[in-house]
Amino acid sequence: MLELLKKLTQTNAPSGSEERLHNIITEEIKDYVDEITIDPLGNLIAHKKGNGAKVMFAAHMDEIGLIVTYITDKGFLKVSNLGGVSPTTALHQRVIFSNRTVGVVALDDTNADLSKGIRLSDLYVDIGAGSKEEAEKLVSIGDSAAFCGDFYANGNTVISKALDDRSGCAVLISAIKQIKTVKNDLYFVFTISEELGLRGAKTSAYSVAPDYAVAIDVTRTGDTPSKLSMAVKLGGGAAIKIKDSSFLAHPYIKQLMKETCEEFSINHQFEVLEAGGTDSGAIHLSGGGVATGCISIPTRYIHSPSEQVDLRDLESAAELAVKMIEKGFNQGA
Ligand code: CO
Ligand code: ZN
């Protein structure tokens, strides 16, 4: 899991550039599924054929980033956000473009009163170009950049950028490899543009038209010295989502998760996230409605270059997915 997580997080794929992950994911899972397709928007859909109800699992491929809106005469880049970028967090971080050009996110006015808050429009990216012409040799309007954030593992603790949601992708890949018995028609979807509003989940849920669905994504924790009142903690196991701002877990899926964890002694905890959402928000509202749940991975410092997870939580999340699949989704049976 560690090596896979490193490979996935250190691939730079902000929303719109998810195709950079297609080969990595395909290589990992191709021997374990019957068919892999890339849909018109770039969702990677792996089908493991089976009888019975259709079940869709989803993890999003994209990460947050910046996109160039304007290049100044002196060669500095003005940028807009791809997903939830906090200007305060972005300040003085490094970003990297697809051609390996690296820039520093800096503040227009060093005398600005930081206590009053900064906006993304106050920031620029400095790629070391001396002029607009020089900058234009390296980047163009509309080019996107990912935040840099090296991968470190201290025992079970992993620190990296893009753990949102490459840890979900790693969990799903790992689960796909471990499934021994198939009781449903299974679809594993690696979605695009979750960070821009659950876009790939919306369209893939329409095309797959599942009866049941489970999203796998990160969630916040309440175990740091912050004021957040939240029961989820790092190392506390797979988090069974009950609610976030776009979603209430379906009682059947919630119960199946709980029972599965109890039956197989999988370390778990329950999650109520007051702000934020995942692909499950879009999937459960697709078609005539889909019984949906979400397995969350406790993560500190989400949407920063130094997100933090505990490997054991990822392993619990993968085990939960595998055991649910092996038990089978069949409401009312
Ligand atoms: Co996110
Ligand atoms: Zn996410």
PDB file of all heavy atoms in Angstrom, residues 271-301:
ATOM      1  N   GLU A 271     -18.650   8.894  11.519  1.00  0.00           N
ATOM      2  CA  GLU A 271     -18.285  10.250  11.112  1.00  0.00           C
ATOM      3  C   GLU A 271     -19.492  11.122  10.803  1.00  0.00           C
ATOM      4  O   GLU A 271     -20.340  10.749  10.003  1.00  0.00           O
ATOM      5  CB  GLU A 271     -17.421  10.165   9.837  1.00  0.00           C
ATOM      6  CG  GLU A 271     -17.098  11.515   9.235  1.00  0.00           C
ATOM      7  CD  GLU A 271     -17.018  11.486   7.715  1.00  0.00           C
ATOM      8  OE1 GLU A 271     -17.033  10.397   7.113  1.00  0.00           O
ATOM      9  OE2 GLU A 271     -16.973  12.573   7.121  1.00  0.00           O
ATOM     10  N   VAL A 272     -19.538  12.280  11.435  1.00  0.00           N
ATOM     11  CA  VAL A 272     -20.464  13.334  11.018  1.00  0.00           C
ATOM     12  C   VAL A 272     -19.607  14.548  10.685  1.00  0.00           C
ATOM     13  O   VAL A 272     -18.948  15.107  11.562  1.00  0.00           O
ATOM     14  CB  VAL A 272     -21.479  13.691  12.125  1.00  0.00           C
ATOM     15  CG1 VAL A 272     -22.373  14.848  11.680  1.00  0.00           C
ATOM     16  CG2 VAL A 272     -22.329  12.479  12.480  1.00  0.00           C
ATOM     17  N   LEU A 273     -19.590  14.910   9.409  1.00  0.00           N
ATOM     18  CA  LEU A 273     -18.758  16.017   8.936  1.00  0.00           C
ATOM     19  C   LEU A 273     -19.671  17.210   8.719  1.00  0.00           C
ATOM     20  O   LEU A 273     -20.635  17.133   7.959  1.00  0.00           O
ATOM     21  CB  LEU A 273     -18.059  15.615   7.625  1.00  0.00           C
ATOM     22  CG  LEU A 273     -17.163  16.641   6.956  1.00  0.00           C
ATOM     23  CD1 LEU A 273     -15.920  16.908   7.793  1.00  0.00           C
ATOM     24  CD2 LEU A 273     -16.751  16.158   5.563  1.00  0.00           C
ATOM     25  N   GLU A 274     -19.387  18.319   9.404  1.00  0.00           N
ATOM     26  CA  GLU A 274     -20.327  19.438   9.345  1.00  0.00           C
ATOM     27  C   GLU A 274     -20.243  20.239   8.053  1.00  0.00           C
ATOM     28  O   GLU A 274     -21.219  20.806   7.599  1.00  0.00           O
ATOM     29  CB  GLU A 274     -20.140  20.333  10.565  1.00  0.00           C
ATOM     30  CG  GLU A 274     -20.621  19.606  11.823  1.00  0.00           C
ATOM     31  CD  GLU A 274     -20.652  20.506  13.029  1.00  0.00           C
ATOM     32  OE1 GLU A 274     -21.465  21.435  13.046  1.00  0.00           O
ATOM     33  OE2 GLU A 274     -19.839  20.279  13.955  1.00  0.00           O
ATOM     34  N   ALA A 275     -19.041  20.319   7.456  1.00  0.00           N
ATOM     35  CA  ALA A 275     -18.918  21.029   6.182  1.00  0.00           C
ATOM     36  C   ALA A 275     -18.060  20.199   5.249  1.00  0.00           C
ATOM     37  O   ALA A 275     -17.044  19.664   5.655  1.00  0.00           O
ATOM     38  CB  ALA A 275     -18.288  22.397   6.397  1.00  0.00           C
ATOM     39  N   GLY A 276     -18.498  20.097   4.014  1.00  0.00           N
ATOM     40  CA  GLY A 276     -17.744  19.319   3.035  1.00  0.00           C
ATOM     41  C   GLY A 276     -18.591  18.198   2.486  1.00  0.00           C
ATOM     42  O   GLY A 276     -19.647  17.877   3.031  1.00  0.00           O
ATOM     43  N   GLY A 277     -18.124  17.613   1.386  1.00  0.00           N
ATOM     44  CA  GLY A 277     -18.881  16.532   0.767  1.00  0.00           C
ATOM     45  C   GLY A 277     -17.983  15.664  -0.077  1.00  0.00           C
ATOM     46  O   GLY A 277     -16.793  15.956  -0.224  1.00  0.00           O
ATOM     47  N   THR A 278     -18.539  14.589  -0.595  1.00  0.00           N
ATOM     48  CA  THR A 278     -17.770  13.671  -1.445  1.00  0.00           C
ATOM     49  C   THR A 278     -18.651  13.245  -2.625  1.00  0.00           C
ATOM     50  O   THR A 278     -19.817  13.635  -2.710  1.00  0.00           O
ATOM     51  CB  THR A 278     -17.365  12.383  -0.687  1.00  0.00           C
ATOM     52  OG1 THR A 278     -18.525  11.551  -0.546  1.00  0.00           O
ATOM     53  CG2 THR A 278     -16.809  12.687   0.705  1.00  0.00           C
ATOM     54  N   ASP A 279     -18.082  12.388  -3.464  1.00  0.00           N
ATOM     55  CA  ASP A 279     -18.814  11.850  -4.615  1.00  0.00           C
ATOM     56  C   ASP A 279     -20.157  11.228  -4.222  1.00  0.00           C
ATOM     57  O   ASP A 279     -21.081  11.193  -5.034  1.00  0.00           O
ATOM     58  CB  ASP A 279     -17.958  10.791  -5.333  1.00  0.00           C
ATOM     59  CG  ASP A 279     -16.923  11.415  -6.277  1.00  0.00           C
ATOM     60  OD1 ASP A 279     -17.050  12.615  -6.599  1.00  0.00           O
ATOM     61  OD2 ASP A 279     -15.997  10.688  -6.694  1.00  0.00           O
ATOM     62  N   SER A 280     -20.263  10.750  -2.991  1.00  0.00           N
ATOM     63  CA  SER A 280     -21.526  10.128  -2.562  1.00  0.00           C
ATOM     64  C   SER A 280     -22.685  11.131  -2.657  1.00  0.00           C
ATOM     65  O   SER A 280     -23.825  10.738  -2.904  1.00  0.00           O
ATOM     66  CB  SER A 280     -21.400   9.586  -1.133  1.00  0.00           C
ATOM     67  OG  SER A 280     -20.978  10.615  -0.257  1.00  0.00           O
ATOM     68  N   GLY A 281     -22.373  12.404  -2.494  1.00  0.00           N
ATOM     69  CA  GLY A 281     -23.401  13.444  -2.594  1.00  0.00           C
ATOM     70  C   GLY A 281     -24.063  13.469  -3.953  1.00  0.00           C
ATOM     71  O   GLY A 281     -25.275  13.689  -4.075  1.00  0.00           O
ATOM     72  N   ALA A 282     -23.264  13.259  -5.000  1.00  0.00           N
ATOM     73  CA  ALA A 282     -23.815  13.256  -6.370  1.00  0.00           C
ATOM     74  C   ALA A 282     -24.437  11.909  -6.701  1.00  0.00           C
ATOM     75  O   ALA A 282     -25.501  11.847  -7.322  1.00  0.00           O
ATOM     76  CB  ALA A 282     -22.718  13.586  -7.377  1.00  0.00           C
ATOM     77  N   ILE A 283     -23.772  10.838  -6.282  1.00  0.00           N
ATOM     78  CA  ILE A 283     -24.223   9.499  -6.694  1.00  0.00           C
ATOM     79  C   ILE A 283     -25.618   9.183  -6.129  1.00  0.00           C
ATOM     80  O   ILE A 283     -26.478   8.675  -6.843  1.00  0.00           O
ATOM     81  CB  ILE A 283     -23.211   8.417  -6.243  1.00  0.00           C
ATOM     82  CG1 ILE A 283     -21.849   8.661  -6.911  1.00  0.00           C
ATOM     83  CG2 ILE A 283     -23.730   7.025  -6.587  1.00  0.00           C
ATOM     84  CD1 ILE A 283     -20.698   7.841  -6.320  1.00  0.00           C
ATOM     85  N   HIS A 284     -25.850   9.523  -4.862  1.00  0.00           N
ATOM     86  CA  HIS A 284     -27.132   9.107  -4.267  1.00  0.00           C
ATOM     87  C   HIS A 284     -28.316   9.838  -4.881  1.00  0.00           C
ATOM     88  O   HIS A 284     -29.443   9.374  -4.811  1.00  0.00           O
ATOM     89  CB  HIS A 284     -27.102   9.221  -2.735  1.00  0.00           C
ATOM     90  CG  HIS A 284     -27.379  10.580  -2.172  1.00  0.00           C
ATOM     91  ND1 HIS A 284     -26.557  11.670  -2.376  1.00  0.00           N
ATOM     92  CD2 HIS A 284     -28.391  11.018  -1.379  1.00  0.00           C
ATOM     93  CE1 HIS A 284     -27.061  12.709  -1.735  1.00  0.00           C
ATOM     94  NE2 HIS A 284     -28.163  12.347  -1.128  1.00  0.00           N
ATOM     95  N   LEU A 285     -28.048  10.972  -5.544  1.00  0.00           N
ATOM     96  CA  LEU A 285     -29.132  11.721  -6.185  1.00  0.00           C
ATOM     97  C   LEU A 285     -29.257  11.420  -7.674  1.00  0.00           C
ATOM     98  O   LEU A 285     -29.986  12.093  -8.395  1.00  0.00           O
ATOM     99  CB  LEU A 285     -28.910  13.232  -5.986  1.00  0.00           C
ATOM    100  CG  LEU A 285     -28.934  13.720  -4.533  1.00  0.00           C
ATOM    101  CD1 LEU A 285     -28.698  15.223  -4.465  1.00  0.00           C
ATOM    102  CD2 LEU A 285     -30.268  13.363  -3.876  1.00  0.00           C
ATOM    103  N   SER A 286     -28.512  10.422  -8.167  1.00  0.00           N
ATOM    104  CA  SER A 286     -28.563  10.140  -9.607  1.00  0.00           C
ATOM    105  C   SER A 286     -29.719   9.202  -9.916  1.00  0.00           C
ATOM    106  O   SER A 286     -30.197   8.467  -9.047  1.00  0.00           O
ATOM    107  CB  SER A 286     -27.240   9.547 -10.067  1.00  0.00           C
ATOM    108  OG  SER A 286     -27.042   8.295  -9.472  1.00  0.00           O
ATOM    109  N   GLY A 287     -30.155   9.227 -11.170  1.00  0.00           N
ATOM    110  CA  GLY A 287     -31.260   8.377 -11.611  1.00  0.00           C
ATOM    111  C   GLY A 287     -32.462   8.565 -10.714  1.00  0.00           C
ATOM    112  O   GLY A 287     -32.809   9.682 -10.340  1.00  0.00           O
ATOM    113  N   GLY A 288     -33.065   7.451 -10.323  1.00  0.00           N
ATOM    114  CA  GLY A 288     -34.216   7.517  -9.415  1.00  0.00           C
ATOM    115  C   GLY A 288     -33.799   7.485  -7.959  1.00  0.00           C
ATOM    116  O   GLY A 288     -34.615   7.272  -7.077  1.00  0.00           O
ATOM    117  N   GLY A 289     -32.476   7.671  -7.710  1.00  0.00           N
ATOM    118  CA  GLY A 289     -31.943   7.623  -6.339  1.00  0.00           C
ATOM    119  C   GLY A 289     -31.198   6.316  -6.119  1.00  0.00           C
ATOM    120  O   GLY A 289     -31.625   5.263  -6.580  1.00  0.00           O
ATOM    121  N   VAL A 290     -30.050   6.390  -5.465  1.00  0.00           N
ATOM    122  CA  VAL A 290     -29.210   5.212  -5.261  1.00  0.00           C
ATOM    123  C   VAL A 290     -28.894   5.077  -3.769  1.00  0.00           C
ATOM    124  O   VAL A 290     -28.460   6.047  -3.135  1.00  0.00           O
ATOM    125  CB  VAL A 290     -27.876   5.337  -6.044  1.00  0.00           C
ATOM    126  CG1 VAL A 290     -26.997   4.112  -5.826  1.00  0.00           C
ATOM    127  CG2 VAL A 290     -28.134   5.550  -7.542  1.00  0.00           C
ATOM    128  N   ALA A 291     -29.100   3.871  -3.215  1.00  0.00           N
ATOM    129  CA  ALA A 291     -28.737   3.620  -1.814  1.00  0.00           C
ATOM    130  C   ALA A 291     -27.220   3.703  -1.711  1.00  0.00           C
ATOM    131  O   ALA A 291     -26.508   2.867  -2.249  1.00  0.00           O
ATOM    132  CB  ALA A 291     -29.229   2.235  -1.383  1.00  0.00           C
ATOM    133  N   THR A 292     -26.739   4.747  -1.047  1.00  0.00           N
ATOM    134  CA  THR A 292     -25.301   5.052  -1.077  1.00  0.00           C
ATOM    135  C   THR A 292     -24.737   5.237   0.325  1.00  0.00           C
ATOM    136  O   THR A 292     -25.424   5.735   1.221  1.00  0.00           O
ATOM    137  CB  THR A 292     -25.070   6.349  -1.893  1.00  0.00           C
ATOM    138  OG1 THR A 292     -25.646   6.187  -3.194  1.00  0.00           O
ATOM    139  CG2 THR A 292     -23.588   6.661  -2.055  1.00  0.00           C
ATOM    140  N   GLY A 293     -23.476   4.833   0.460  1.00  0.00           N
ATOM    141  CA  GLY A 293     -22.734   5.074   1.694  1.00  0.00           C
ATOM    142  C   GLY A 293     -21.364   5.620   1.358  1.00  0.00           C
ATOM    143  O   GLY A 293     -21.026   5.794   0.179  1.00  0.00           O
ATOM    144  N   CYS A 294     -20.583   5.899   2.375  1.00  0.00           N
ATOM    145  CA  CYS A 294     -19.237   6.425   2.129  1.00  0.00           C
ATOM    146  C   CYS A 294     -18.281   5.921   3.205  1.00  0.00           C
ATOM    147  O   CYS A 294     -18.585   6.003   4.400  1.00  0.00           O
ATOM    148  CB  CYS A 294     -19.277   7.957   2.116  1.00  0.00           C
ATOM    149  SG  CYS A 294     -17.680   8.720   1.788  1.00  0.00           S
ATOM    150  N   ILE A 295     -17.173   5.375   2.744  1.00  0.00           N
ATOM    151  CA  ILE A 295     -16.096   5.003   3.668  1.00  0.00           C
ATOM    152  C   ILE A 295     -15.103   6.151   3.659  1.00  0.00           C
ATOM    153  O   ILE A 295     -14.575   6.521   2.605  1.00  0.00           O
ATOM    154  CB  ILE A 295     -15.378   3.709   3.216  1.00  0.00           C
ATOM    155  CG1 ILE A 295     -16.365   2.541   3.089  1.00  0.00           C
ATOM    156  CG2 ILE A 295     -14.244   3.370   4.176  1.00  0.00           C
ATOM    157  CD1 ILE A 295     -15.754   1.262   2.522  1.00  0.00           C
ATOM    158  N   SER A 296     -14.871   6.731   4.836  1.00  0.00           N
ATOM    159  CA  SER A 296     -13.972   7.879   4.896  1.00  0.00           C
ATOM    160  C   SER A 296     -12.637   7.497   5.511  1.00  0.00           C
ATOM    161  O   SER A 296     -12.561   6.638   6.389  1.00  0.00           O
ATOM    162  CB  SER A 296     -14.596   9.000   5.725  1.00  0.00           C
ATOM    163  OG  SER A 296     -15.731   9.522   5.064  1.00  0.00           O
ATOM    164  N   ILE A 297     -11.612   8.171   5.025  1.00  0.00           N
ATOM    165  CA  ILE A 297     -10.268   7.980   5.558  1.00  0.00           C
ATOM    166  C   ILE A 297      -9.915   9.216   6.383  1.00  0.00           C
ATOM    167  O   ILE A 297      -9.858  10.329   5.849  1.00  0.00           O
ATOM    168  CB  ILE A 297      -9.262   7.782   4.405  1.00  0.00           C
ATOM    169  CG1 ILE A 297      -9.645   6.535   3.602  1.00  0.00           C
ATOM    170  CG2 ILE A 297      -7.835   7.680   4.944  1.00  0.00           C
ATOM    171  CD1 ILE A 297      -9.168   6.563   2.184  1.00  0.00           C
ATOM    172  N   PRO A 298      -9.722   9.036   7.700  1.00  0.00           N
ATOM    173  CA  PRO A 298      -9.405  10.184   8.553  1.00  0.00           C
ATOM    174  C   PRO A 298      -8.124  10.868   8.060  1.00  0.00           C
ATOM    175  O   PRO A 298      -7.111  10.194   7.861  1.00  0.00           O
ATOM    176  CB  PRO A 298      -9.176   9.555   9.934  1.00  0.00           C
ATOM    177  CG  PRO A 298      -9.819   8.200   9.858  1.00  0.00           C
ATOM    178  CD  PRO A 298      -9.745   7.772   8.447  1.00  0.00           C
ATOM    179  N   THR A 299      -8.196  12.176   7.856  1.00  0.00           N
ATOM    180  CA  THR A 299      -7.061  12.898   7.275  1.00  0.00           C
ATOM    181  C   THR A 299      -6.926  14.267   7.925  1.00  0.00           C
ATOM    182  O   THR A 299      -7.895  15.024   8.006  1.00  0.00           O
ATOM    183  CB  THR A 299      -7.278  13.079   5.751  1.00  0.00           C
ATOM    184  OG1 THR A 299      -7.535  11.798   5.171  1.00  0.00           O
ATOM    185  CG2 THR A 299      -6.066  13.701   5.074  1.00  0.00           C
ATOM    186  N   ARG A 300      -5.731  14.577   8.371  1.00  0.00           N
ATOM    187  CA  ARG A 300      -5.467  15.915   8.916  1.00  0.00           C
ATOM    188  C   ARG A 300      -4.951  16.827   7.811  1.00  0.00           C
ATOM    189  O   ARG A 300      -4.288  16.381   6.895  1.00  0.00           O
ATOM    190  CB  ARG A 300      -4.420  15.839  10.026  1.00  0.00           C
ATOM    191  CG  ARG A 300      -4.916  15.137  11.276  1.00  0.00           C
ATOM    192  CD  ARG A 300      -3.818  15.126  12.320  1.00  0.00           C
ATOM    193  NE  ARG A 300      -4.213  14.321  13.487  1.00  0.00           N
ATOM    194  CZ  ARG A 300      -3.343  13.833  14.361  1.00  0.00           C
ATOM    195  NH1 ARG A 300      -2.044  14.057  14.211  1.00  0.00           N
ATOM    196  NH2 ARG A 300      -3.765  13.114  15.371  1.00  0.00           N
ATOM    197  N   TYR A 301      -5.237  18.103   7.945  1.00  0.00           N
ATOM    198  CA  TYR A 301      -4.696  19.162   7.069  1.00  0.00           C
ATOM    199  C   TYR A 301      -5.107  18.965   5.611  1.00  0.00           C
ATOM    200  O   TYR A 301      -4.305  19.133   4.691  1.00  0.00           O
ATOM    201  CB  TYR A 301      -3.168  19.258   7.244  1.00  0.00           C
ATOM    202  CG  TYR A 301      -2.747  19.030   8.681  1.00  0.00           C
ATOM    203  CD1 TYR A 301      -1.868  18.016   9.032  1.00  0.00           C
ATOM    204  CD2 TYR A 301      -3.301  19.802   9.698  1.00  0.00           C
ATOM    205  CE1 TYR A 301      -1.540  17.777  10.355  1.00  0.00           C
ATOM    206  CE2 TYR A 301      -2.978  19.573  11.033  1.00  0.00           C
ATOM    207  CZ  TYR A 301      -2.094  18.550  11.354  1.00  0.00           C
ATOM    208  OH  TYR A 301      -1.787  18.294  12.669  1.00  0.00           O
TER     209      TYR A 301
END
